[in-house]
Amino acid sequence: MMKIRVENPNNLKKKTAMLCGFVLENSDKILGLENMNSRIIPSIKQSINDMGGEFGKISVIPTIGTSAQRILLAGLGKREKLTNDTIRFVSGKIAQKARELKLKEFSIIVPPTSLIEPISSVSQIVEGCKMSLYKFEKYKTKIENNIPNLTILVAKSEKISKAIRIAEIISDGVVYTKSIANLPPNECIPTTLANFARIVSKKNNMKCIIISKSDLNKKGFGGIIAVGQGSKNEPKLIILEHNHGSRNEKPIVLVGKAVTFDTGGISLKPGEKMDEMKFDKCGGCTVMGIMKVVSELKLPVNVVGIIPSVENMPGGESYRPGDIIKLYCGKTAEILNTDAEGRLILADALSYGEKQYSPKVIIDFATLTGACIIALGTNIAGMVSNNDKLVQTIIKSSKRTTEEVWELPLNDDYIDMIKSDVADMKNVGIGRAAGTITAAAFLRNAIKNTPWVHIDIAGVAWTQTGTKEKPYNPKGATGFGVRLILDYLQNI
Ligand code: BES
Ligand code: MN
Ligand code: ZN
């Protein structure tokens, strides 16, 4: 675990293994060091000039006769192209360099207030560094575990300390989400996720309810039962409650798809890249990570996390194309493709959430459709909703966190596309047209009029071909959605 300290920036006499500063493109200054009477700048002026400040470029300079053993220059790119992600991204590069050099610690100088608000800088530095040092190495028998500690050079204040603490908890939440989402499907089955939920709830005083197969059956969770019946690993409905808002305040319900492995079932998927379907639990893992953070931060809100978890397997007990099932909301669904399983378990979870908690808002995360990758690629999540105001709020959080989302439309024409001849609805649309929206239309039918946003994370939940490289998203699960929803919850 990375330890983080704050030091006043004029205290540069303190020894450090590596003093790291940001440099704008074509500048000859280290940001935040300009006005400090330091002996450092003149001696390396030429090096600063030479490195050029190109975005993401890192240059390490050995030093003589300074308190810093090395100086690292980190390029921020053009001033007018700075985004909410620049410092996070570049800090991640710095942290990875420090690890590569096997340093015990390194220091980062915070840019001046005139360029970026220090609270924002500090949060991004912490997030970038912490998230970038995570690697999925649980199954490597030999690992080098060098995690350097970080000193942030910035004027000390209560606000800065608080921002650091919040950023640490959020980054740890993202790392937690990645670490469970990366688990292989032989190790992580619905019971495993339920156990993780119990552990998280005990540590942080949440209520945890696990509904097992026989109760799911009795209570009418027809979608979860149908999808789960082909696997010997029984389905679970996992519920975490964080009640820190006022008593009569309606909660926010978060729902996450957790298919621990999606073979497609009887409508079996082709073999190519089927291993990646261990990531079909990412929506649920995101909700679990959010609940962990919400409870650790003791946010003054009521939030409920609902995670339907199943394994979608073919076999003698599996549900089949042609089956007609009854969902928790009371509607019937004709199964035309057992690979369209996510919407069935989500429909149950959504209507359960609405009925049980009368929430003010429902937000769901799901690796729901390959069509979302066709529509938006692997860097932007799809978003479908029944409430414009909620969409606008989520877009604001998306801009602040650079977890990108793009809204797709949902009108009655799409709802018509999932009408069935023999049941209330069918679990596929018309051919492959608008696959992300017809899946969302199915979910829409499971709830009444609660403001709801569905976020399809099929393209962004893990790194795949086309994923933009970011130091804080190494190969594997990305934890998409944790920072987005934490921003949303902190701002309501
Ligand atoms: N989990 C998949 C969606 C998916 C596929 C996510 C590839 C990420 C990468 C989902 O359960 C699924 O199989 N959806 C089908 C729906 C279709 C049968 C209507 C799909 O997208 O092909
Ligand atoms: Mn599927
Ligand atoms: Zn799936």
Side-chain angles (χ1 to χ4, degrees):
M1 193 83 117
M2 168 186 246
K3 278 200 200 106
I4 301 174
R5 306 185 306 133
V6 180
E7 203 68 70
N8 281 318
N10 37 12
N11 208 350
L12 282 177
K13 279 180 232 91
K14 279 254 170 79
K15 279 201 161 48
T16 178
M18 186 159 78
L19 180 64
C20 311
F22 300 107
V23 180
L24 284 168
E25 197 158 305
N26 300 324
S27 147
D28 59 357
K29 295 186 189 79
I30 296 181
L31 290 165
L33 217 58
E34 307 94 335
N35 303 323
M36 279 170 239
N37 271 340
S38 111
R39 292 194 290 135
I40 293 169
I41 288 279
S43 64
I44 62 160
K45 217 154 197 136
Q46 193 55 49
S47 309
I48 302 175
N49 257 319
D50 293 348
M51 78 85 66
E54 189 190 314
F55 175 71
K57 196 170 161 189
I58 297 279
S59 162
V60 181
I61 310 159
T63 56
I64 307 166
T66 72
S67 53
Q69 287 175 3
R70 309 163 182 76
I71 295 197
L72 180 151
L73 307 173
L76 286 189
K78 292 197 175 70
R79 188 190 181 123
E80 61 275 18
K81 287 192 96 182
L82 290 184
T83 71
N84 282 341
D85 197 45
T86 309
I87 297 286
R88 187 183 297 115
F89 186 106
V90 177
S91 300
K93 290 255 170 188
I94 296 173
Q96 289 180 344
K97 192 65 177 179
R99 175 173 61 193
E100 186 190 313
L101 293 171
K102 298 193 165 54
L103 305 183
K104 286 208 169 61
E105 58 77 37
F106 62 109
S107 309
I108 298 183
I109 310 159
V110 171
T113 309
S114 55
L115 188 74
I116 306 165
E117 215 266 305
I119 296 288
S120 168
S121 289
V122 160
S123 310
Q124 290 186 44
I125 289 172
V126 172
E127 289 177 6
C129 290
K130 284 197 75 120
M131 294 194 298
S132 301
L133 291 181
Y134 166 76
K135 275 198 254 179
F136 178 52
E137 297 185 310
K138 188 168 180 224
Y139 296 87
K140 298 266 190 194
T141 49
K142 268 189 222 138
I143 49 167
E144 262 184 62
N145 211 355
N146 170 52
I147 300 284
N149 292 326
L150 165 66
T151 305
I152 302 176
L153 298 167
V154 65
K156 285 188 188 179
S157 75
E158 200 52 53
K159 275 189 176 163
I160 289 285
S161 311
K162 194 177 163 204
I164 292 178
R165 200 181 67 86
I166 293 175
E168 282 188 275
I169 291 177
I170 293 176
S171 319
D172 286 341
V174 175
V175 167
Y176 175 76
T177 294
K178 293 183 187 187
S179 68
I180 59 174
N182 281 328
L183 290 175
N186 58 336
E187 165 131 339
C188 187
I189 59 175
T191 309
T192 324
L193 287 179
N195 289 338
F196 291 154
R198 278 198 196 95
I199 294 168
V200 169
S201 74
K202 276 207 190 101
K203 269 195 192 143
N204 303 297
N205 266 317
M206 280 188 284
K207 189 169 166 193
C208 177
I209 305 163
I210 309 291
I211 309 184
S212 293
K213 189 173 182 179
S214 59
D215 280 335
L216 288 168
N217 213 349
K218 275 182 224 149
K219 293 187 168 124
F221 289 90
I224 298 175
I225 288 293
V227 179
Q229 73 195 32
S231 173
K232 73 170 178 20
N233 301 317
E234 295 191 349
K236 301 281 176 199
L237 182 62
I238 302 163
I239 299 150
L240 287 166
E241 288 182 25
H242 166 87
N243 295 311
H244 276 247
S246 51
R247 237 177 191 289
N248 40 26
E249 193 186 279
K250 292 174 168 184
I252 288 161
V253 162
L254 307 172
V255 175
K257 169 180 174 181
V259 175
T260 59
F261 196 67
D262 181 12
T263 63
I266 296 295
S267 315
L268 192 63
K269 284 182 181 297
E272 198 195 348
K273 293 201 181 158
M274 201 203 272
D275 58 294
E276 293 190 356
M277 282 299 114
K278 73 167 186 174
F279 293 119
D280 215 18
K281 59 183 180 302
C282 281
C285 296
T286 287
V287 170
M288 198 102 93
I290 295 169
M291 295 309 292
K292 178 174 182 283
V293 176
V294 164
S295 60
E296 286 176 7
L297 290 178
K298 300 194 170 61
L299 286 189
V301 284
N302 298 327
V303 191
V304 180
I306 305 183
I307 303 165
S309 185
V310 297
E311 186 179 37
N312 187 19
M313 293 290 270
E317 318 255 281
S318 298
Y319 79 134
R320 348 157 172 64
D323 282 2
I324 296 174
I325 64 171
K326 189 168 187 152
L327 299 167
Y328 187 82
C329 63
K331 292 182 183 166
T332 56
E334 177 191 13
I335 307 305
L336 290 177
N337 189 321
T338 63
D339 197 13
E341 85 296 342
R343 61 200 76 186
L344 303 172
I345 66 167
L346 282 171
D348 276 358
L350 289 167
S351 50
Y352 176 78
E354 184 177 53
K355 186 171 166 223
Q356 197 71 13
Y357 296 99
S358 314
K360 59 176 168 207
V361 164
I362 306 182
I363 303 171
D364 79 74
F365 282 92
T367 48
L368 202 60
T369 63
C372 193
I373 304 174
I374 305 299
L376 297 172
T378 47
N379 296 295
I380 302 184
M383 172 163 69
V384 179
S385 174
N386 61 359
N387 187 293
D388 287 340
K389 217 174 127 201
L390 181 55
V391 164
Q392 291 316 315
T393 321
I394 296 290
I395 287 177
K396 278 192 195 131
S397 292
S398 167
K399 295 246 158 76
R400 284 195 289 260
T401 55
T402 57
E403 294 209 293
E404 294 194 61
V405 296
W406 197 267
E407 191 192 6
L408 300 172
L410 175 61
N411 63 24
D412 289 346
D413 295 339
Y414 296 105
I415 304 274
D416 288 344
M417 288 165 81
I418 54 160
K419 283 194 173 142
S420 159
D421 296 336
V422 293
D424 297 334
M425 31 185 192
K426 53 180 176 159
N427 79 332
V428 296
I430 298 168
R432 290 158 73 186
T436 302
I437 306 175
T438 52
F442 191 96
L443 304 182
R444 173 68 190 87
N445 273 347
I447 50 173
K448 298 193 174 102
N449 276 316
T450 307
W452 155 79
V453 164
H454 156 65
I455 301 180
D456 192 329
I457 55 171
V460 297
W462 70 97
T463 58
Q464 2 185 344
T465 12
T467 303
K468 193 161 134 193
E469 274 199 45
K470 293 183 177 180
Y472 59 81
N473 279 343
K475 206 167 181 295
T478 60
F480 185 100
V482 176
R483 290 189 301 108
L484 175 75
I485 296 307
L486 259 305
D487 182 277
Y488 167 77
L489 292 173
Q490 285 177 293
N491 285 289
I492 45 173

